[in-house]
Each structure stands twice: as C-alpha cells, then as structure tokens.
Amino acid sequence: MCSAPTVPERDLIAQDIHAYLDRYRNKELLRFVAVGSVDDGKSTLIGRLLHDTGMVYQDQLESVKRASNIEGEEIDFSLFTDGLRAEREQGITIDVAYRYFATEKRKFIIADTPGHIQYTRNMVTGASTANVALILIDARLGVLQQSRRHAFIASLLGIPHLAVCVNKMDLVGYDQQVFERICRDFREFSDTLTIPDVSFFPVSALKGVNIVEPSEKTEWYDGPNVLEYLETVEISEDWNTESFRFPIQYVIRPNLNYRGFAAQIVSGSIEKGDEVLSLPSGKTSTVESIDTFDGSIGSAYTPQSVVIRLADEIDSSRGDMLVKKSDLPHVGRDFDAHMVWMSETPLDLQKSYLIKHTTQAVRAQVTKIHWAKNMDTLEEEPATTLELNDVAKVNMDCHRAIFFDDYGQNRATGAFILIDSLTNATVASGMIVGPETHQDLDDALKELRAGSGLQPKTQVSPKERLEKMGQRGATIWLTGLPGSGRWSLAYALERRLFDLGRTATVVDPTNEDLRSIISAAKACTDAGLVTICAFPSYHKEDRDNLRERLGDDRVIQVYVNTDEKLCRERRPDADFSGFEAPQNPDLVVALDQVRLDKAIEFIVEALEKRGQLKV
Amino acid sequence: MISKRQLSHLRQLEAESIHIIREAAAEFDKPVMLYSIGKDSSVMLRLARKAFAPGPLPFPLMHVNTTWKFKEMITFRDEIARKHGLTLIEHINQEGVEANINPFDHGSAKYTGIMKTVGLKQALDEHQFDCAFGGARRDEEKSRAKERVYSFRDRFHQWDPKNQRPELWNLYNGTITKGESVRVFPISNWTELDVWLYVLIEKIPVVPLYFAKERPIVWREGSMIMVDDERMRLEPGEEPEMRKVRFRTLGCYPLSGAVDSEADTVEKIIQEMLLTRFSERQGRLIDFDEDGSMERKKREGYF
C-alpha cells in the first residue's frame, strides 16, 4: 500500500517545490457532503478517497492497520475517519465530521454525516455549505426510502450537484442491469425535486473500483470515476455573482477621519464608485474605497471579506446591509420558510424565538405550520408542532423587518437559524421561500417605516413560564359560609406553597367588587402565579362568571364545607342568607373534620394532579 | 484552476476566517485571542489584523505560559507584540510554580494539566473573558474533526460533545448565559499545508525553531529533545549532541520532539512535510498517552 501523493504531484514536490506551490495556491475549493447509513460503506469510501489521494500519513496508516479488526491484507478504510470515543464504542457516526484532502486540481472539504433518520439534523448541517452531495446507495438494496430522504434534503438545502454512488457493486457481480435499474429508480424520484445536476457512479469502496481509478470490472461504464467527477464538476456557477449583498458585521473607526463597514460580500460584486443603498435607512451613497489589510482595491466580489468606505456619512451599523439600488432584496417582517427542527424540545407556537439572519438577530415567531413532511412517505401533512428532525414549511413573523432573498436564489440571504432565548440552543434552521410579489424601493421603504408587524403581546409563553417557575398559573377559589375558615386556609396555603418553592399570592380582601377581584385573579394567574381567593361568593352565577373569565382548566374551586352550626356560632353577626352551595366543586374540605395542614395537602395534591405544579 | 472572478481556496479560507473573527468580536462582550506563538497562532493573528485593518485589534492577546517554553518563543512573542502594538496578557499558574510543577518530576500529563489546562481556566476566570479565539484546526487530530467553529463551554470551561450547537452556513450562534464561554476557532478548515502556504505567500514571520539548524539535543523515549536551558535534566555523563534539526510543532521544550531536517526555508519545510508524511502531532509527546487522549483533554478544558 502506498500512501504517497499521486505520482506527478509527488515528482513535482520533489523536483520543483515552487511550481507545486504555485499550482496549489491557485486551486479551487469544493465542499461536499457525504451521506449514507451505517452500512452503506460511506466511511470506507471516504477513507479510500483520503488514502488514495495521499492524505493518510504513514503513522496514521500504521495505527489503523493495528486497529483493523480483520487480520490479513485488507485495511479497514473506515477507521481513517473514525472520530470520537463514543462513536467508536457505538460503531456509528453520531455527528458531522469535517475532513480535508487535495488533488492536483482542487482542494476538498468533506462534511461527513451519518444518514439515519434520526440524524436529519446532521445532514442538514453538513449540506448547508456543500456544492455537491455524495449519496451512497447499497447496490444490493437499491433505492430505499432513506435514499429519497437524502435526495430531498439535498434539494431542500439547495445543493446544485448530486453524485449518487451505487456502492458494493462487487457484491452484485458488477452487474450493469442492477446499476441501471437503480439509476432509473432514483431519477424517477429526483426528477420531482429541484436538483439541477444528478450523476451516477457504479463503485466498490472496499475494492477501490471507480473511486479514484477506472476499473476493468465495469467495462460497460465509461463515465468518470468519483474523484474525476469531484475534480471537474463545474462549480463556478454555484455562487450568486449577481446580487450585491453586504451584511455589515463591524464598523471600523480607528480615528475620526475613518469610518469603514466591515463585512463579507456574501453575493455579487462591487466596484469603487458604485452607488449603494443602506438598509434599513434607505440612504444612498457611493463607494469611495474598498479597503483591505493589503491596501485599497478597485473591485471586490463574493466571498471576499473587505471594508467599504462611503462618500457620505451614513449612520449604518452591524445588522444593516449595503445593496445596489437596481437589485434589492425583499424587505419584510413576515415570510414563508422551509424549516428543519433540530432540537429535542419541540416548537412552541406561542413562544418568540431569536432568529439569526445574515448579521442580525431579531425576535420572531412561527405563526403557522403550512405542512410537515412525513419523512417515511415524503408526503406533506398538517402538523400542530415540530419535533426533532421534522421538516416543514412555516410562516414566520418578525418583530422588525429583515432583508432577504429566496433561498434558492441566494443561500446567504435566504438562510437563518432559530435560537431559543431561554436555553440559547440553536433549535431550527430555516430557508426562506421568497415571496412571489415584486417589491420596488418605495414598497420596501414603506415596509421598513411601518409599525411593528406583530400585535404587541407577551413574549413569554405559558410553557416557558412552567419551565422557569415550576408551575402554571391557577386560581384557587375558596367558597363557603362566613366563619368556615376560608381566609385562614387561604393564608396557610400561601405559606405552604411558598415553602415548597412556588410562587403564590392571596388576593387581598380590600373593598373591591367581585368583578375587580376576578380581574385581579386573572392578571395574577396569567403571570403564572398560584392565586388564592377567599371572597364570599354566594351565588352560582358569580362562580360561573369566574370560571368563564379564567378558563375552566385554570380554576380549582374548593368548597369549604365547615359545619353550618359551627360557622353560625363563630360569626353570629354575619348574613347567612342566599348561599348557594356549589354543585360540582373540585374539592370539598370541612375544617371541623380535617386539620388545616391536611386540607392544604389536599389542595397541593390537586394542583399537582392537574399539572399546575411541576412535581 | 480558478477563473478570474473566483477566489482560490486559500483566499476563500482567508475570507471565511476573517468573517468568523469579526462575528465573534462583534457578538461577545469580552473576547481574547489565545496566542500560543506557534505557526497557527501566527496565521490567526495575521487574519485578525486583516479583519480590523486599518484599525487596531479590538481584543487583547493572551499567552498561557507554562514557564517551560523555548526561549526563542518568548523572545519572538514579545517582539511581535511590540512591533504591532498589541496588548499581550501573560498568565502563569503561580500555584503551579510555587509547587514546582515540572515535566520531569510530574510527567507530561499532570504537568500539562496543571500548567496549561488549569492555567488557562484561571486566566479566563480572572479576566472574565466570554470568548477565546484559538488556532486549532480540524485536520490536526481525529477527535477535532467534529469540533465546531464556535465550541461552547459551560461555566467550568468543560466541553460536552453531546451538547454542541449545530452550525449551518456561516451563521454562528454566540448567545450564552453569564459565566459560560465560547472557544472560537477561525482556522478550523485550514490544513497544515494551507497554514504553511499562507505563511509563505503572506511572508508571516514564524519562530526560527521551525527552521533546521544545528541544535543541542538529547534522546528521550525515542524523541529528540532540545537542551534549551540549564533546567534540562541530563543523565550522569550525558552530553548533548549537536544535530541539524527543526520542530514541527512548538510547545514546552522538554515535551517537543525535534526531527532531523535540512529545511531552512518555508518552501523546504513544505516540501519536506509533503514528502515525509508524518502527521503533525507525532512530534508532540503529550499525545502519546493513550488513544483518544486529545478528546479527554478537550473535555477537561484543554484546547
């Protein structure tokens, strides 16, 4: 086994290092994502690419040879790419791993992602920056649902080129018909997607067939091998070179005379003297200078990171975007997007999240799920929430306008991530589906100047409150005769809940009418408090009114059914007439028969059972 | 070959790194750049200067000094800081110094743990940095292949492989709660060859120890160790041997193995590297402990 670079390169390195370096420094960069399940032989294929292109060092080779379980000649190529301890123990790849190799023509970054259904998240991550998706199919099994899933995700993430490697051809006797049937089956599905370019390769990663060298085993195949394809597939068109987008990252102000906007040109190009428009201000100016560490340059293009100085003093800052007037992005607060849910915690439609889009972070809410993809059938289905690895089309509403393009047109300005502001986790990725409607500059500016698109409302959802406070808001309404001990029970209950680490309050009995008291109880309950009321509410009507305003599930009615005789003895002066005993109270406690602390435990238990308190 | 309006892979990597450095500098309250004086740090520093030119770096550099670095490294470090007017924080684990922790008596693992890992945590805590740039690359070691560009650390500086945020496109999530921090690796996607090539075309100064020269060495466990100062413990009667060597990675001199070499220019280093085919970390004794040891160190907060 030779692990040296391919011969001409090696000679060049030895004989003329300067010529080699000149060649190397001008190489193109291609990023590809490799997907396949545990058994498709993906690790073996990548290990083979690394090994056969000379990217495996002798000492790595030695350690892999030592670690290979199989005795004898064959090397377990998959061991080159094996990473974390946990993964080695489980024998599967559990996260995206990045690997690097170069050939005479290009330099490659591989995002190596596992292909199980539960790891959609990983494939999406790896696919987000890829030019090419390399999908592995086991020749013996043909096109499985999983392969369709992979193709679907590749298309969703806007990968322009798909390379389908039909692997393990050695196990089907290099049968051309098997290969062609798989190509047909795959095409039938991929034709329904938006992938501009699909190619097929009959390979055996294990035997090294059609990976980096042609093979006589597949004489019927006259296409390129996998490496040739990767070296030659046309990727210069993959960049959006049309629309100039410059999302400002940082303002550089070393002194009063210099104010430069630092950013990466995420698409398009710019020249000195070009007129630019700054969003959201809508102000225009001309490019006075394009600066870099190595001096000013006349023009710059994607993906260069530069500093732009403008002829006029425009107050732009991070999150703003410089664009050209003739080619504006959409400006808006609300848009549709494809979304991949990446968190164990499901989507909460009540909650506002933070989205990071280009260089700005904005509060936003998912207002609607148009559909979610059933990943087994790839059918679109209605959904009420999104869980880990769900793929859906949703509507988003932002608290202020962002500047975006359709993801299919511009990956950089069409992509966003969703962040849970309580846990700070990245919970979803989004790809904006551009609106059909055309927007001119006036429309865009109008959109920017309009008030907030969302009705101002709480940004804390009931679920978040429950998580933070360990409780959901509830009102405990104590009903009973005068002298039944309602108030004593109310205050003792408040104390007990406080000691349990809960937040509870007794609505104070000052001279308020019942309507105001109910309003107070509602406000406290909305805030997530356990609200305790003990007002005399003699009539069924009053209690119905309360239930209606607070919602049945948030009211616990406790009938304090202390013996009437005792009550009358305690409160000889009180008015006992007209009391309508509750028909269906949630709880009945008679304080002449149970001790106060026991009664309290009953109530706490009822709260827990109802899910108002997190146990 | 690349066409006119297309960036070469190296310029793409450069643009990506600058983007990352600017993002982190903009989003974190108190970033710091961990400067280890090696070639990767030198490249990272150049990228950072490019990111904010013509302005100054908006964050300081910090060097965690184990007190056993090569003398030439310290000289080089101070010269770079002076020349570019950089703010340099040097941190030394004083408890370690007082306990006389050294690689000879305590072994490489314990010594590195105390002087480097603990030292780094002390420094980050003392200055309340919420973001630390590091010059690590994913191609350095197998367990680093899955490292994120933004590597999230809890308030004990621990790295949990199961609790890292997915990273998509160039959108990095830098939101943290007080006390937590993020290690940011702007040159994650660079390979060793990329780094050297960049050093070459950008004419970035590197510590002379990378270049072959006659140096006094002794043999320790199959590695050539340079006798950099009088603290090197010699066997009775042992005489350092003069040998033309260079270092592929720089760290603490008693733990850095030299290689025989004739390469005294960057071109020759690249040539030698490509032709000899030994992975970079083999010259570094601390990784020999056990398979998967880098992963363990990372969990403990080592870079």
Side-chain angles (χ1 to χ4, degrees), chain A residues 3-68:
Chain A
S3 66
T6 47
V7 178
E9 281 240 295
R10 197 199 157 95
D11 287 351
L12 192 62
I13 293 167
Q15 287 152 18
D16 189 351
I17 185 70
H18 293 97
Y20 170 81
L21 291 174
D22 273 348
R23 187 198 270 181
Y24 186 87
R25 63 189 279 185
N26 287 319
K27 276 174 191 176
E28 271 185 340
L29 178 64
L30 181 137
R31 295 175 197 247
F32 69 93
V33 58
V35 277
S37 79
V38 199
D39 305 318
D40 291 338
K42 176 174 57 74
S43 297
T44 309
L45 187 140
I46 293 175
R48 175 67 78 174
L49 276 174
L50 297 178
H51 176 267
D52 291 4
T53 52
M55 280 299 137
V56 176
Y57 289 102
Q58 204 62 45
D59 59 327
Q60 283 178 346
L61 190 63
E62 294 304 322
S63 86
V64 162
K65 272 184 184 162
R66 272 200 304 275
S68 288

Side-chain angles (χ1 to χ4, degrees), chain A residues 3 5 10 13-14 17-18 20-21 23-29 31 54 57-59 79-80 82-88 93-100 107 109 124-125 128-129 157 236 239 249-250 252 254 258 262-264 269 293-294 299 301 303-307 318 342 354 356 358-359 407 415-417 419 424-426 429-431, chain B residues 1-10 12-13 15-16 18-20 22-23 25-27 46 49-56 58 138-139 142-143 145-146 148 159 161-162 165-173 175-177 180 188-194 197 200-202 267 270-271 273-275 277-279 282 290-293 295-296:
Chain A
S3 66
R10 197 199 157 95
I13 293 167
I17 185 70
H18 293 97
Y20 170 81
L21 291 174
R23 187 198 270 181
Y24 186 87
R25 63 189 279 185
N26 287 319
K27 276 174 191 176
E28 271 185 340
L29 178 64
R31 295 175 197 247
Y57 289 102
Q58 204 62 45
D59 59 327
L79 291 177
F80 290 128
D82 132 50
L84 300 187
R85 191 185 286 260
E87 156 193 345
R88 224 169 309 157
T93 336
I94 51 169
D95 210 337
V96 186
Y98 293 88
R99 332 223 174 254
Y100 307 85
K107 145 128 192 172
I109 300 180
V124 169
T125 303
S128 68
T129 50
L157 271 291
S236 58
W239 295 99
Q249 289 185 277
Y250 204 93
I252 294 174
Y258 191 99
Q264 188 165 22
S269 58
F293 178 82
D294 307 291
S299 66
Y301 50 94
Q304 281 180 290
S305 286
V306 296
V307 176
R318 178 176 168 82
M342 308 180 96
L354 207 59
K356 188 168 180 190
T358 63
T359 55
Y407 181 80
F416 64 89
I417 56 170
I419 298 166
N424 296 331
T426 301
S429 55
M431 289 134 286
Chain B
M1 282 292 145
I2 53 163
S3 62
K4 200 162 155 255
R5 290 242 128 177
Q6 220 182 328
L7 286 190
S8 71
H9 87 272
L10 205 56
Q12 276 191 48
L13 290 176
E16 175 185 277
I18 291 175
H19 170 84
I20 292 164
R22 285 172 175 168
E23 277 302 282
E27 291 200 323
R46 169 62 59 92
R49 290 176 57 220
K50 286 198 172 197
F52 303 103
R138 287 189 182 125
D139 84 320
K142 273 198 271 183
S143 79
K146 298 184 177 190
R148 305 293 200 275
W159 176 79
K162 295 231 187 297
R165 298 164 180 175
E167 259 169 16
L168 299 101
W169 302 289
N170 61 354
L171 297 173
Y172 302 101
N173 174 359
T175 52
I176 50 167
T177 305
E180 295 167 344
S188 284
N189 282 329
W190 296 54
T191 61
E192 188 182 16
L193 179 55
D194 296 329
L197 190 64
L200 178 73
I201 63 179
E202 291 283 323
E267 288 95 329
I270 296 174
Q271 185 174 36
M273 179 185 90
L274 290 172
L275 295 174
R277 317 261 76 186
F278 270 94
S279 80
Q282 205 169 38
E290 150 187 14
D291 202 23
S293 63
E295 186 190 338
R296 208 191 52 238

